[in-house]
Structures are given as structure tokens and as C-alpha cells.
Amino acid sequence: MRTTVKGRAGTVAAICALAAALAGCGGGGSDSPKASGPATLTFWGEAEGLAKQTAAWNAAHPDIQVKFTKVTLGYPDYQKIAAAVKAGNGPCVGQTDAEHLVTFASQGLVQDITKYASTYQNLFTAPAWKAMSPGGTTYALPLSASPNFFAYRTDLYKKYGLTPPKTWDEFIADGKKLRAANPKLTMMNYAPEDPSGFVGLVWEAGGTWYKQSGNGWQVTFTSPESLKAANVLQQFVDEKLLSSVSYSDPGVWKTWDEGGTLSMTTSTWQLPIYAKSFPKSDGKWAVTTVPQYAAGQSSTDSGYRGVTVYKGCKDTQQAVKFAAWLGSDKAPVTALADPNSGSGLFPALKDVTPYVTGLAPKKMIPQDDAAQVITTAAGQVNAAWEFGPDYATMYQKMQTYWPKVLSGQMKVTDMLNEMQRFVVGDLKSQGINVVAG
């Protein structure tokens, strides 16, 4: 049954169809954007290399100058950005991730740039564009993707008679075999503060916890796809296939470098970090596609970053032009994709072939087809996943249960049931139409 609840004080429900779904219009009509002409834009971003690329833009576009400020983009930082935008002190343009973009859209803090952005849509992959267009309205241009693939220690897989798993059943079987041979070793590390591995399992299964439905959201944490992922994770825990070292632990890299943990699901932006942090295991790594739920399937997950235009920016068209250039022009895309001078950002473009050759550090991963593995993963991102309007809040709540799940104190299905109740209640409290799936 669909439930409608009156929102917070000052919120007018159902101003427009998208506002009813996202609890606020993200359109920039009230900002009276200039159609064209000279402009000076402020730009806040985190990725390495953005300052240099902004300078390159300025040199080539004297009529649209961009002032770049480097910021960090953790959860508290997004809260500060939201406060700045509400106070009228925010940037015109900002780097964002898909998880927070939909929350900002629900609060009316970003502009509807569909009118200017649509001309660039065919340059980017469908999942990337979808991530930047919650509810079908575009609020950001894609900047990068983070398709996940599987990395493993070739020397240790060989030593213990393991083969790179094509399915999660094979992965679990390998894990049991490894524990029988050496119970001190584990197959993967899931940090106690980071449930992103489980998010990936659900995403890969074709699930989504949020789905826009009419003028509201359907919330389903206990779908068949989520339960399939829960079953796999529960076996990881029950069979003791995981280590659980925090990413805040300075020794976390030793988990892999010294051979205590044999493999991981990972993405391109992390590879430069590993290359600097794995001195003992250089040349002993290989990559392949992530294990699947059934042989012959091809599905993975991906994070997405974009460049959005915030409420209050008067130069919307010029801002969109800059954002599109940053994520699609060959020069900045090549520079930002470089793991040495940039951030190792994987392009969100349909054609990534010009950019992937150097993404895998050769010294760490000497295999000849590493770039092809990454390219294949980028083309296998499951398009079913959607980020909901309280995703960041949801994730923080899941983090409170996650250590209990990893330690076996809480069943994965119990966590899902708790999350279902929490998210439905949270969205109702915000005046967002919600259907419990």
C-alpha cells in the first residue's frame, strides 16, 4: 500500500511529479540562469588532477573561467557543502558521487540541467547517465565510473591449488579448500565499517533497494536478488572466508601484501594505492571478472562520480559545458585516468579503449590482458541499481549492523529486515511517498 505523509515544516508536497518522488525540485528555474556569455565559475572537487585540468580549460576558454578549490568528499564534507549551498555560499559546480547526488536533488540543492545536458547523453554509458539522472531528470554530467573486477595473488592461488573462480560457489569452495590447508589465511577482507562489498553482491545479482515508482519510491531490501546475495555473504561468514581489518588500520595493506588475504573485488581508482602499498607482492597479482551467481552470466557493480551544478549558480549553460568537457574531452579524460599523474579515474564513456592501457600498474599486475579485463567489466555493469533519496543515511545505518554481521552475531537476513523498516520509516518522516516492496 502506498503511504503519503506530510513532510517537514516548510516543505510543500507534490509541487511537481519529481518533487513528490524526490521530496524537492532540483530544477534551477528560480536561479534565472544566463543563456550564454562570459562567466566565472567556482568549482569544488576532490580528484587528483582536477586543478591542472581546470587550468587547461581556462587557457583554452577565456570567456568561461573556472576557479577550482580542492575539497574532501566524505559524508561530513557533503553535509558542509549542503549547508553552504543553502546559505548561498556554495560553489557553482561541484564534483559529486551518485549516492549523494540523489539526496541533494531531494533537497532542491542541485539544478535540473536536462535542457543543456541532453546533447551529451550519447557519449556516456546508460548506467552512468542513469546514476546522474535520478527520476529521469539530469542533475550532473558523468565524470567517472568504478567498475568492479576481481584481483588475486597468482603465487598463492598456485601454491594452494586454487583457480580464479568463475562463480561464487567456486569461490566458496576455494575458500573451504584454503582453510583446510591453512586456517590462518582468508579469501577476502571486508572492513567492519564498509558494507560496500554486500552492496556489490546485491547490485551484481540484479537487485536494487530503491526504485522510483510513480511519484514516490518503492523500497525492497528483501527481494529475491537481495536474498540471493545474503545467502552468499552468510556462507562467507559461516565458513570463515573473510578477514575483517579496518581501512583505518595502518596495517591493512599488509593483509594482502604479506599474503594473509588472497584476493579482493576492486576497481581502477584503488589500483594506484595498491601499487604504492604492496611492495612485497609486486608482480604477483592478476585480475579477472568478478565471480558470478551462475556460470555464463556477466554482471558487476560500479560507483559513479559526476560534476553537478548547484542551486544558485547563474551560469548554468556554461557550467554544463565545462562539466561535459571534463568528463568527455580526450585531454582531461586521459589525464584524469592516468594512475600516476591523475586519479586513475575510469571514464564513464561508451568508448573507453583510448584510456585503459595504463590503468593497471604493470609492475603490480604484469598480465598482458589486464586492460581488457577492466574494459570488459565496464561493459557488464548491471543497470537495475538505483540510488534512493536517503541513500547516505541508509548506508550509515547499515554500517551500525555490519560488524555484527561479519562477526556472526547477526544474520544477513536480519540486517535486511531491519534496513527495510528503517528506510521506509526514514522516507515517510521526510514526506516522501514510499511503498514497502
Side-chain angles (χ1 to χ4, degrees), residues 266-280:
T266 191
S267 192
T268 53
W269 68 271
Q270 295 159 306
L271 294 180
I273 301 173
Y274 301 150
K276 297 175 182 178
S277 305
F278 293 175
K280 296 181 180 179

Side-chain angles (χ1 to χ4, degrees), residues 209 218-223 394 414-426 434-437:
W209 293 327
Q218 181 177 350
V219 174
T220 311
F221 278 79
T222 55
S223 66
M394 178 282 295
D414 291 338
M415 178 182 72
L416 288 173
N417 287 326
E418 290 297 324
M419 293 308 305
Q420 176 75 18
R421 285 190 285 270
F422 172 79
V423 171
V424 169
D426 186 55
V434 56
V435 177

Side-chain angles (χ1 to χ4, degrees), residues 5 8 15 74 146 171 193-194 203 230 284 302 322-323 351 370 374:
V5 182
R8 296 169 177 158
I15 294 175
S146 304
F171 176 90
E193 72 277 5
D194 181 19
W203 190 329
K284 299 175 182 178
S302 176
F322 169 68
D351 182 11
I374 297 170

Side-chain angles (χ1 to χ4, degrees), residues 171-186:
F171 176 90
I172 293 167
D174 281 348
K176 292 178 181 179
K177 184 177 180 179
L178 177 66
R179 279 194 56 77
N182 189 339
K184 294 182 179 181
L185 304 185
T186 58

Side-chain angles (χ1 to χ4, degrees), residues 24-44:
C25 286
S30 62
D31 296 311
S32 301
K34 294 190 305 188
S36 60
T40 299
L41 312 175
T42 52
F43 173 36
W44 293 2

Side-chain angles (χ1 to χ4, degrees), residues 151-375:
Y152 63 97
R153 284 283 298 268
T154 54
D155 56 331
L156 297 177
Y157 264 60
K158 181 178 180 179
K159 177 178 179 179
Y160 292 103
L162 310 179
T163 56
K166 296 185 181 301
T167 67
W168 288 116
D169 285 343
E170 292 179 7
F171 176 90
I172 293 167
D174 281 348
K176 292 178 181 179
K177 184 177 180 179
L178 177 66
R179 279 194 56 77
N182 189 339
K184 294 182 179 181
L185 304 185
T186 58
M187 290 293 286
M188 287 199 299
N189 182 74
Y190 276 7
E193 72 277 5
D194 181 19
S196 63
F198 182 54
V199 172
L201 287 172
V202 176
W203 190 329
E204 181 194 326
T208 183
W209 293 327
Y210 299 86
K211 186 175 181 62
Q212 193 183 2
S213 177
N215 65 345
W217 290 87
Q218 181 177 350
V219 174
T220 311
F221 278 79
T222 55
S223 66
E225 295 83 4
S226 288
L227 294 178
K228 182 188 293 187
N231 177 54
V232 168
L233 175 58
Q234 195 64 61
Q235 290 183 74
F236 291 174
V237 174
D238 292 346
E239 299 297 338
K240 296 180 171 51
L241 307 185
L242 304 172
S243 57
S244 186
V245 183
S246 171
Y247 291 126
S248 64
D249 186 337
V252 65
W253 308 118
K254 295 180 181 180
T255 303
W256 295 283
D257 192 36
E258 296 183 355
T261 300
L262 277 63
S263 48
M264 68 179 86
T265 54
T266 191
S267 192
T268 53
W269 68 271
Q270 295 159 306
L271 294 180
I273 301 173
Y274 301 150
K276 297 175 182 178
S277 305
F278 293 175
K280 296 181 180 179
S281 56
D282 257 349
K284 299 175 182 178
W285 288 91
V287 293
T288 187
T289 53
V290 295
Q292 300 293 306
Y293 285 94
Q297 293 181 345
S298 55
S299 178
T300 191
D301 63 300
S302 176
Y304 290 101
R305 299 180 186 181
V307 178
T308 191
V309 182
Y310 285 106
K311 175 185 177 182
C313 180
K314 304 296 184 182
D315 302 297
T316 306
Q317 185 173 0
Q318 298 91 327
V320 169
K321 184 177 180 180
F322 169 68
W325 175 85
L326 201 58
S328 66
D329 187 86
K330 187 174 182 179
V333 172
T334 300
L336 293 172
D338 190 324
N340 298 309
S341 61
S343 291
L345 297 183
F346 190 89
L349 299 168
K350 287 182 179 178
D351 182 11
V352 298
T353 50
Y355 310 108
V356 298
T357 302
L359 279 179
K362 197 69 176 178
K363 189 178 179 183
M364 173 189 170
I365 306 171
Q367 74 187 90
D368 294 332
D369 66 341
Q372 183 56 50
V373 169
I374 297 170
T375 303

